[in-house]
Amino acid sequence: MVMQIKPGGARSPKLNRILISGGGGSGKTTLAAKFATSPDRALFISTDGNASRQGYRAIDFEFPNTAEQIISNFIQALNLAEQDTKNWDVLVIDLIEDFDERAQTLLRSDIGSRQAMRAWGKINALYKDMQSLMMSKFRDKTIVLLSRDIEEVDQKTGEITGYKPALRKALKNLVLKDQDVEIRSYFDKNNKRQFDISNLRYEEMKSSLQKIINKPLELPHDSEQEEKANKLKAQYDKAFAAAASHNASDKDIEYWKNMEPSEAIMSIADWIRIKESAQSVVDEEEPIVDELFPVGQN
């Protein structure tokens, strides 16, 4: 293979690497999901289970008993995400510093006067590997890192001078070297949510970023559950139409409407069976009850 100099390609500014920091409940998770075309197309690798509790699709990360194994578990999570790439636009790592804090805890016994450098080297290596893995697997996908924020305090006066992601300086240099933008989510003195934008790599992306931030809140929905609900509603409507066609009284209709939908469908089906049996109606077509509950269907 002969190496050669390639001509410069067209510049294509984008927002594919994002860091969002903020306190608990500040809106980090919601904002991260807005970078997807819809909330259902955001996939979280979650260290605290918060994403799934809010209704988002998530891989709940399981921390191992050794620091080195964190990477193997992380690879497993990335492999699951890779197998599902057609179903997501944005991969969210929530929370990024949890990996560091857990690694420190697991390596605590190694951190001493002689082993300190080796132990910290292991931790930093974890993040180099994580960055390489994410870049190699999802180069053209959007990846959002979530972090808590912590106060920056003036050592002389003790005054709060600002806030920053809860990442060690060495870790921040590793994790944030490829970020296109940093966003801090917080509530101001009037309890209004605000977003501070910093380190925006491409200034021309500012308007696009603002549009994402200003998107109206959309809650994720479970497409499978939604499909089941739609089928139940269609069956429910068909049951009441069948009851009306069999001359059900207003009292009967009111009785069924006070039931849960599934119970009402079953009750109407039983009522139609009894009514048809009592009238000994013989019809060339299948009775309506068989349309509601085909043979063999639960």
Side-chain angles (χ1 to χ4, degrees):
M1 179 180 177
V2 178
M3 290 184 288
Q4 59 183 342
I5 297 174
K6 294 183 178 180
R11 188 169 180 269
S12 55
K14 51 191 176 181
L15 294 169
N16 277 8
R17 300 290 180 269
I18 298 129
L19 173 77
I20 302 174
S21 63
S26 63
K28 299 188 297 294
T29 300
T30 302
L31 178 57
K34 287 184 179 183
F35 282 87
T37 53
S38 72
D40 307 314
R41 292 191 62 80
L43 176 63
F44 287 73
I45 295 179
S46 176
T47 62
D48 60 5
N50 183 51
S52 56
R53 285 195 295 271
Q54 292 191 45
Y56 295 100
R57 297 177 65 241
I59 300 167
D60 286 334
F61 189 84
E62 295 182 5
F63 281 101
N65 295 321
T66 63
E68 291 84 349
Q69 200 177 349
I70 289 177
I71 281 294
S72 60
N73 283 21
F74 193 72
I75 292 172
Q76 184 179 355
L78 291 185
N79 287 341
L80 287 173
E82 190 174 27
Q83 293 165 17
D84 196 45
T85 50
K86 65 180 181 181
N87 293 318
W88 59 267
D89 305 318
V90 174
L91 181 66
V92 186
I93 313 300
D94 178 19
L95 294 152
I96 186 63
E97 71 268 15
D98 281 356
F99 295 95
D100 183 55
E101 292 171 4
R102 186 62 64 92
Q104 288 185 55
T105 300
L106 293 172
L107 288 169
R108 192 71 64 190
S109 60
D110 289 343
I111 298 177
S113 57
R114 294 184 178 181
Q115 301 297 326
M117 293 301 296
R118 179 171 171 268
W120 286 112
K122 284 183 183 179
I123 294 174
N124 291 336
L126 294 177
Y127 292 93
K128 287 181 181 178
D129 290 343
M130 283 183 175
Q131 283 289 86
S132 297
L133 284 166
M134 287 190 290
M135 288 297 292
S136 63
K137 286 181 178 292
F138 311 119
R139 183 170 296 277
D140 297 321
K141 288 280 193 176
T142 297
I143 296 177
V144 181
L145 306 180
L146 300 190
S147 172
R148 305 177 190 91
D149 63 7
I150 55 175
E151 298 171 346
E152 289 185 295
V153 179
D154 186 299
Q155 297 299 318
K156 293 182 178 179
T157 64
E159 294 181 357
I160 298 173
T161 58
Y163 294 85
K164 63 181 181 180
L167 300 169
R168 291 183 295 111
K169 185 176 180 180
L171 176 57
K172 184 176 179 180
N173 291 339
L174 284 171
V175 171
L176 302 185
K177 63 180 180 181
D178 294 315
Q179 299 307 304
D180 294 319
V181 65
E182 293 181 42
I183 305 170
R184 179 173 176 257
S185 175
Y186 65 99
F187 289 99
D188 63 17
K189 293 179 179 178
N190 296 318
N191 207 31
K192 185 178 179 181
R193 183 173 283 119
Q194 302 288 350
F195 299 99
D196 286 348
I197 300 169
S198 60
N199 298 325
L200 182 61
R201 180 176 293 182
Y202 306 106
E203 189 63 27
E204 58 264 52
M205 295 301 296
K206 193 166 186 177
S207 61
S208 298
L209 177 58
Q210 202 61 55
K211 286 179 182 178
I212 292 171
I213 290 173
N214 293 336
K215 273 186 186 179
L217 175 63
E218 291 183 70
L219 297 176
H221 65 272
D222 188 320
S223 56
E224 186 176 339
Q225 290 297 325
E226 187 176 20
E227 184 179 353
K228 288 180 180 178
N230 288 337
K231 286 182 178 178
L232 180 63
K233 185 178 185 307
Q235 204 172 32
Y236 182 80
D237 292 342
K238 185 185 286 188
F240 276 92
S245 70
H246 282 69
N247 301 317
S249 67
D250 292 342
K251 186 176 181 180
D252 287 331
I253 296 295
E254 186 65 26
Y255 171 71
W256 289 320
K257 283 187 174 179
N258 288 326
M259 292 182 175
E260 290 294 322
S262 56
E263 293 178 351
I265 293 167
M266 293 294 293
S267 180
I268 292 171
D270 288 341
W271 178 82
I272 292 173
R273 285 193 185 100
I274 293 170
K275 192 171 182 66
E276 288 181 341
S277 177
Q279 294 177 354
S280 300
V281 175
V282 178
D283 198 311
E284 292 181 358
E285 297 181 358
E286 292 182 353
I288 189 68
V289 71
D290 291 329
E291 290 183 26
L292 289 171
F293 294 94
V295 175
Q297 179 178 327
N298 293 329

